[in-house]
Amino acid sequence: MQQLNNLLFSAINQFAGQNQFFDYLFIFLAEAMPYVFIVLVVTLWFRSKEQSKRYLIGATLTSVVGITINTLIAQVYFHPRPFMNDLGTTLVEHAANSSFPSDHTTFMFCIAFSLLFHRATRKLALGLTVLAVIGGLSRVYIGVHFPFDIAAASVVAAFSAMMVHAARDKLVVCYNVIISTGDRLTGRVL
C-alpha cells in the first residue's frame, strides 16, 4: 500500500517547483482553503434563517468530531510526512508530525459532507466537496501530505457527518440555545 501511496504522491508532487505561478497557486489553495470554508460558514450564519443555522452548527460540530478522531488516530498511528522520508519537493515548512489523516482536508470535507444531508444545502455541499478535493490534492502538490492522507480525511469526515446527523434529534435543544445566544450576541454587535 505504501508503494502505491508513494507512486500517487510522486505523480502529483512531480510538478512542484517547476512553475512559480502554479507553486504559488497551489500553496494558496492548500493553506487558504480552510479559511474560505470558515468565512463561508460565518457569512451564511448571518444570512440564514433558523433551520439553516442548525445545519451550520451541525457542520461545525462535525468538524470538531472529525478533528477529534484525527487526533485519536495520531495517538495510535504515526505516519511520516513525505519530506520526513526525503520524498518529493516540499514548498512550505511544516511540523514533522503525523500526516495521517490530513486535518485541513478533514475539516473541509466535514463541512461539505455535513451539508450534503440537507436538501436546502446540497448544491452548496457539492461545490464545497469539489473545493475540499482541490484543497486536499493541493496539500499533496506542496509536499506535506500523501494521497492516502487525503482519502482517509474523506472517510473520517463521512463517518463524522453520519454520527452528527444521526444524533441531530438529540442535539435540537443544544442547537436552539446556540442559535438564540448567537442571535442575541450578534444583534447587540450589529
Side-chain angles (χ1 to χ4, degrees), residues 51-93:
Q51 187 59 43
S52 292
K53 287 182 180 181
R54 283 189 184 87
Y55 303 155
L56 296 171
I57 295 167
T60 303
L61 180 57
T62 298
S63 298
V64 171
V65 171
I67 297 302
T68 301
I69 291 171
N70 282 3
T71 302
L72 295 173
I73 291 170
Q75 297 301 311
V76 297
Y77 176 72
F78 181 85
H79 191 271
R81 293 179 183 277
F83 61 82
M84 295 167 72
N85 291 335
D86 293 323
L87 293 175
T89 302
T90 307
L91 298 179
V92 298
E93 286 189 35

Side-chain angles (χ1 to χ4, degrees), residues 45-190:
W45 176 271
F46 287 108
R47 295 178 170 207
S48 294
K49 303 251 187 259
E50 191 170 316
Q51 187 59 43
S52 292
K53 287 182 180 181
R54 283 189 184 87
Y55 303 155
L56 296 171
I57 295 167
T60 303
L61 180 57
T62 298
S63 298
V64 171
V65 171
I67 297 302
T68 301
I69 291 171
N70 282 3
T71 302
L72 295 173
I73 291 170
Q75 297 301 311
V76 297
Y77 176 72
F78 181 85
H79 191 271
R81 293 179 183 277
F83 61 82
M84 295 167 72
N85 291 335
D86 293 323
L87 293 175
T89 302
T90 307
L91 298 179
V92 298
E93 286 189 35
H94 198 288
N97 53 9
S98 184
S99 70
F100 184 88
S102 165
D103 288 336
H104 283 79
T105 310
T106 298
F107 170 77
M108 293 183 287
F109 276 126
C110 280
I111 298 291
F113 290 171
S114 177
L115 296 175
L116 276 173
F117 283 103
H118 313 288
R119 184 176 291 126
T121 56
R122 201 159 286 146
K123 284 182 184 176
L124 170 64
L126 290 172
L128 292 176
T129 300
V130 170
L131 290 179
V133 170
I134 291 168
L137 292 177
S138 295
R139 298 193 64 73
V140 176
Y141 178 95
I142 69 170
V144 298
H145 278 291
F146 286 100
F148 285 7
D149 302 338
I150 307 311
S154 70
V155 172
V156 168
F159 177 73
S160 301
M162 287 186 282
M163 281 179 45
V164 171
H165 185 71
R168 70 191 178 284
D169 293 338
K170 294 179 175 101
L171 297 169
V172 168
V173 173
C174 179
Y175 286 6
N176 290 341
V177 169
I178 293 170
I179 291 167
S180 63
T181 302
D183 287 348
R184 269 186 276 131
L185 289 174
T186 55
R188 289 182 193 161
V189 174
L190 301 175

